[in-house]
Amino acid sequence: MANRGPSYGLSREVQEKIEQKYDQDLENRLVDWIILQCGEDIEHPAPGRTNFQNWLMDGTVLCKLINSLHPSGQEPIPKISESKMAFKQMEQISQFLKAAEIYGVRTTDIFQTVDLWEGKDMAAVQRTLMALGSLAVTKDDGCYRGEPSWFHRKAQQNRRGFSEEQLRQGQNVIGLQMGSNKGASQSGMTGYGMPRQIM
C-alpha cells in the first residue's frame, strides 16, 4: 500500500462515499465462491475490507480463480508467481484483469489495479468478481463450481424469426407511437382572420 496521509475536505468525502458501497455480505459470498471454485488449499481470510484486500492483493488467488474457469490445459495464465515484489504482484493483477476481459467481462465492470493494490475502491473489486461469477454461471460450460443462485444469470440473445407475410402485415399497421387521429375533426373551424363568434 502506498504511504499516503489522510485525506481532508472533498477528497475525504468522496473516499467515504466510495467506502460506503462496499458490501460485507457480498464479501462473504465471494470468498466462499473463490475458495470453492479454486478447489485448492486456499486459506479463508478473516472478515473485513482490509483482510479481503490483503488476501487478493498479491494476485495469486485472482489468477487461480480465472484459471479455474477454463478447461484444463487452456488456462490463460500459465505461470503464477508467488513473489513478494510489488511490481510482480501488480503485474499478476493486470494479467487477471486482461484474462477477465478476454473471458467476457465488460471493460466498464473491470477495476483498476490501484483500486485493489492501494485499497482505493474495494467495491469496484467486488463488482468485477460479481460480473465474472455471473458470466461463469451464464456460460454454463461445466467449469463453474458453486451455487448457481450466488450470481445472476445474464440475459441471452433471443432472436425472433418472422415470415414475409407477417412482415408485410406489420407495414399496414400504424403504431400508437405515431399518434392517432380518431375523434379529431375540423368542424367548427373558421378561416384565419375571422373574429371569434361568441354567442
Side-chain angles (χ1 to χ4, degrees), residues 24 27 31 43-52 55:
Q24 186 65 42
E27 175 198 310
V31 167
E43 62 187 52
H44 201 286
R49 180 194 334 252
T50 53
N51 294 324
F52 187 61
W55 188 56

Side-chain angles (χ1 to χ4, degrees), residues 117-129:
W117 182 255
E118 296 180 3
K120 287 205 175 279
D121 192 359
M122 290 302 292
V125 176
Q126 286 184 327
R127 282 193 303 273
T128 300
L129 293 173

Side-chain angles (χ1 to χ4, degrees), residues 57-58 81-91 117:
M57 198 165 75
D58 65 353
S81 168
E82 302 220 359
S83 174
K84 299 289 181 203
M85 291 188 286
F87 74 92
K88 275 288 194 190
Q89 293 177 352
M90 291 178 85
E91 182 183 4
W117 182 255

Side-chain angles (χ1 to χ4, degrees), residues 16-183:
E16 284 175 354
K17 276 195 170 185
I18 290 171
E19 288 173 3
Q20 286 174 359
K21 293 180 184 177
Y22 187 81
D23 186 354
Q24 186 65 42
D25 295 333
L26 181 57
E27 175 198 310
N28 296 334
R29 186 175 357 146
L30 289 171
V31 167
D32 291 342
W33 172 58
I34 290 170
I35 290 173
L36 192 63
Q37 181 68 40
C38 292
E40 298 179 23
D41 298 331
I42 296 177
E43 62 187 52
H44 201 286
R49 180 194 334 252
T50 53
N51 294 324
F52 187 61
Q53 176 194 357
N54 292 334
W55 188 56
L56 297 175
M57 198 165 75
D58 65 353
T60 56
V61 173
L62 294 173
C63 290
K64 288 176 182 177
L65 174 65
I66 196 72
N67 280 349
S68 70
L69 292 172
H70 290 79
S72 183
Q74 297 179 12
E75 292 90 354
I77 305 170
K79 185 171 184 270
I80 300 172
S81 168
E82 302 220 359
S83 174
K84 299 289 181 203
M85 291 188 286
F87 74 92
K88 275 288 194 190
Q89 293 177 352
M90 291 178 85
E91 182 183 4
Q92 283 194 156
I93 295 170
S94 296
Q95 286 177 334
F96 163 77
L97 295 174
K98 196 179 301 177
E101 191 173 351
I102 292 169
Y103 190 71
V105 178
R106 293 183 313 194
T107 53
T108 54
D109 290 335
I110 292 181
F111 65 90
Q112 301 293 311
T113 305
V114 293
D115 291 339
L116 173 58
W117 182 255
E118 296 180 3
K120 287 205 175 279
D121 192 359
M122 290 302 292
V125 176
Q126 286 184 327
R127 282 193 303 273
T128 300
L129 293 173
M130 278 298 290
L132 184 66
S134 295
L135 205 58
V137 168
T138 305
K139 281 190 175 189
D140 198 23
D141 56 2
C143 294
Y144 174 79
R145 293 187 282 277
E147 288 290 323
S149 62
W150 284 350
F151 301 102
H152 297 290
R153 192 175 290 273
K154 292 197 182 272
Q156 297 294 304
Q157 184 177 8
N158 187 6
R159 294 186 65 85
R160 285 148 175 99
F162 296 105
S163 67
E164 288 296 322
E165 177 66 26
Q166 288 172 318
L167 291 173
R168 263 195 310 282
Q169 287 176 349
Q171 291 173 346
N172 298 332
V173 175
I174 297 175
L176 289 177
Q177 293 172 335
M178 311 288 189
S180 172
N181 65 353
K182 291 193 181 347

